[in-house]
Amino acid sequence: MPKKIIFINPPYERVAPGYEFIKHIANRSPSLGLLHLASEVRLHDFEPSIIESDIMDLNTDGVADMVIAEAPDYVGITLFTVGVWGAATIARKVKETLPSTTIIVGGPHIASMGKETISRFDEFDFAVVGEGERILMDLLNAIENNKDLKTVPSILFRDNGMIHRTPGIAPDKVLDDLPMPAWDLLPNFPHAYKPAIYDYPRGPVATIAASRGCPFHCRFCDTSTFGAKVRHYSPEAVFNMMTHLHDTYGVRHVLFVDDLFLASKVRTADLCNRILESGLEMTWTCTARVDTVKPDILKLMQQAGCWEISFGLETGSNEMLQKMDKSACVEDSEQAIKWTAEAGIRTKGLFMLGYPGENESTIQKTKDFVRRIPMTIMNLSKFTPYPGSPIYRDLYGTNIRDDHWEKMNGMNFVWSPEGMSVEKLDRQYQEILTSF
């Protein structure tokens, strides 16, 4: 009989305090990481299921009750920093009723703060560090066959009161070898899993990661999960995922969620030509750096259905971009936005307020920049020093600031630069939004 494993995306705060009334139009996309893990374990005769807590409107008690009712052999929980405490509450309740159920955690928080997290939360039995497909299967096989856990790469576990971390392994280079995400395990997919209402022109919608990894080293970013080496699905594999979603589920819009969709213009052009030659009627959005777009590739993307591109603009101040190690300048950002708008593609600017060194002058430059560029929509986040990012280590050293974990979602100021109070930053936050 197949062993049961339930994958959980735990509940956490997704909208800023005071804005709960917009929760129903906020992003409700499923966790692609869990979909990939579920498809991988299913290939090896495990019986997976997925609980998307927020999408299913479940709190920690509701999630725990669902797990207990199923009595699985294993539970896998993906951890973002903001969701750690909720995940621990779920694990604790499950363990109280099902002490033999093995609880495994992974995700971005574990990649950056794994040992500290396992030390603090006894409810978590194992942690998978980094990309999970191969590592999780090695761990499950070791547990099932009573093998030495020290032979399993990239895991954290306890032994005689000590926490052990095994050596890591190189990530998968050939993404095409991975099975297609297990979208069929999501109840009422795709209709119940809508992104933010302003991020797509029509539904149903699904998400795809066409690549993994980012070679850039922005100081506010944690790249510890997928690493610095970019690995791509082939254009053929991406096109096959798109046609599968279209033909099987009626999906009409795809959100590409990888950091650098345009890292290879050759691959992007190949995919666009496949879409055009097939006559596939789908629109799509992606994310790009400002130094990766040019008029020729933008024109082809628009013809192939590209509806919107998100750019990490961050600020209107070159001084701040240098502090962030963005390897870009305001002039490049302005040119990229203009070229994209001229190609007939919507532009979404991703900005950040409150990074170390921010002051009245840099904020005014951002306001001026926002006013003058032909940007369709903007997303302004509140600077959050995420564990694993270089700026986190600069600000906090190696100490865990677990008192902040529940607030680390980009919607709370958990730190403020010298001379700027949180109250002042909040006022400037509203002013920047108003200026746009």
Side-chain angles (χ1 to χ4, degrees):
M1 186 174 180
K3 294 292 184 76
K4 286 185 179 181
I5 179 168
I6 297 179
F7 293 103
I8 300 171
N9 193 3
Y12 56 88
E13 184 182 79
R14 292 175 183 259
V15 297
Y19 290 85
E20 290 79 9
F21 63 92
I22 67 165
K23 185 175 181 180
H24 68 289
I25 62 171
N27 185 16
R28 295 168 73 87
S29 298
S31 166
L32 261 181
L34 295 186
L35 292 171
H36 279 285
L37 292 173
S39 62
E40 183 70 26
V41 301
R42 184 162 57 183
L43 279 182
H44 296 85
D45 298 325
F46 285 82
E47 185 181 326
S49 57
I50 298 173
I51 296 176
E52 286 285 352
S53 305
D54 286 341
I55 295 170
M56 299 168 74
D57 292 322
L58 295 171
N59 58 19
T60 54
D61 286 339
V63 174
D65 289 344
M66 281 191 71
V67 174
I68 291 167
E70 289 295 320
D73 303 278
Y74 300 94
V75 169
I77 310 177
T78 185
L79 294 185
F80 291 90
T81 299
V82 69
V84 172
W85 291 94
T89 300
I90 293 167
R92 190 178 311 118
K93 290 178 178 293
V94 170
K95 282 287 192 181
E96 288 171 357
T97 304
L98 305 172
S100 62
T101 293
T102 300
I103 296 181
I104 305 167
V105 292
H109 183 80
I110 291 299
S112 59
M113 284 278 188
K115 190 170 184 178
E116 295 89 342
T117 304
I118 295 299
S119 298
R120 184 171 184 86
F121 298 104
D122 292 338
E123 299 88 350
F124 304 147
D125 296 312
F126 299 95
V128 169
V129 183
E131 291 184 29
E133 290 93 347
R134 286 168 54 194
I135 302 168
L136 178 60
M137 279 314 311
D138 286 347
L139 174 59
L140 293 174
N141 286 330
I143 296 171
E144 290 292 311
N145 297 292
N146 295 313
K147 293 182 179 179
D148 184 359
L149 291 170
K150 292 179 181 178
T151 66
V152 180
S154 295
I155 64 167
L156 288 156
F157 66 97
R158 298 181 191 86
D159 184 28
N160 294 324
M162 300 289 291
I163 294 175
H164 296 273
R165 175 168 178 167
T166 59
I169 56 172
D172 287 316
K173 293 183 179 180
V174 184
L175 298 184
D176 285 12
D177 291 344
L178 298 174
M180 202 171 286
W183 290 294
D184 60 293
L185 294 181
L186 297 173
N188 196 26
F189 176 80
H191 304 286
Y193 305 87
K194 299 176 181 178
I197 194 168
Y198 42 76
D199 277 344
Y200 62 101
R202 57 180 184 175
V205 186
T207 53
I208 293 176
S211 64
R212 296 181 181 182
C214 178
F216 296 95
H217 302 283
C218 303
R219 298 192 61 75
F220 54 81
C221 192
D222 171 24
T223 59
S224 50
T225 300
F226 292 133
K229 185 174 179 59
V230 179
R231 290 148 294 127
H232 302 265
Y233 279 98
S234 67
E236 179 183 11
V238 177
F239 177 74
N240 288 341
M241 279 191 266
M242 294 177 73
T243 55
H244 172 74
L245 287 165
H246 178 273
D247 296 346
T248 307
Y249 302 104
V251 168
R252 298 197 296 172
H253 186 83
V254 166
L255 272 69
F256 288 105
V257 297
D258 31 327
D259 293 326
L260 290 175
F261 180 83
L262 263 170
S264 169
K265 293 185 180 66
V266 173
R267 291 176 183 271
T268 302
D270 189 331
L271 175 62
C272 289
N273 286 325
R274 289 173 185 271
I275 293 170
L276 290 169
E277 290 166 6
S278 71
L280 179 65
E281 293 187 4
M282 293 182 82
T283 51
W284 46 279
T285 61
C286 66
T287 300
R289 282 179 57 89
V290 296
D291 54 5
T292 61
V293 296
K294 291 290 187 292
D296 55 345
I297 190 65
L298 288 168
K299 180 180 179 181
L300 179 61
M301 290 169 65
Q302 191 276 335
Q303 291 171 344
C306 182
W307 181 73
E308 180 179 88
I309 301 177
S310 296
F311 294 97
L313 305 179
E314 317 306 347
T315 174
S317 162
N318 277 324
E319 175 190 351
M320 293 302 297
L321 289 174
Q322 290 173 1
K323 290 179 183 295
M324 297 173 182
D325 283 352
K326 274 292 290 188
S327 300
C329 65
V330 172
E331 292 74 21
D332 291 340
S333 298
E334 190 162 359
Q335 182 66 79
I337 295 294
K338 288 181 178 178
W339 277 340
T340 305
E342 288 169 0
I345 300 173
R346 285 168 49 107
T347 57
K348 181 177 182 179
L350 309 178
F351 288 83
M352 178 192 308
L353 179 65
Y355 189 84
E358 192 88 86
N359 56 45
E360 298 276 2
S361 174
T362 62
I363 292 173
Q364 185 59 50
K365 288 178 180 178
T366 296
K367 291 177 182 176
D368 295 340
F369 180 55
V370 165
R371 290 191 188 102
R372 73 174 181 264
I373 59 175
M375 181 172 59
T376 312
I377 191 169
M378 75 177 294
N379 184 323
L380 179 62
S381 66
K382 300 177 179 180
F383 166 66
T384 302
Y386 289 108
S389 65
I391 196 63
Y392 182 93
R393 292 187 289 272
D394 288 350
L395 296 178
Y396 298 142
T398 58
N399 295 325
I400 311 173
R401 296 294 298 258
D402 54 14
D403 56 317
H404 286 166
W405 284 2
E406 288 182 296
K407 298 178 180 178
M408 286 187 167
N409 57 6
M411 295 177 290
N412 299 283
F413 286 117
V414 298
W415 184 92
S416 60
E418 185 176 353
M420 301 283 290
S421 66
V422 168
E423 291 74 22
K424 192 173 205 177
L425 283 172
D426 272 322
R427 287 195 299 273
Q428 294 287 4
Y429 182 88
Q430 294 298 329
E431 287 183 14
I432 291 174
L433 292 179
T434 303
S435 69
F436 174 64

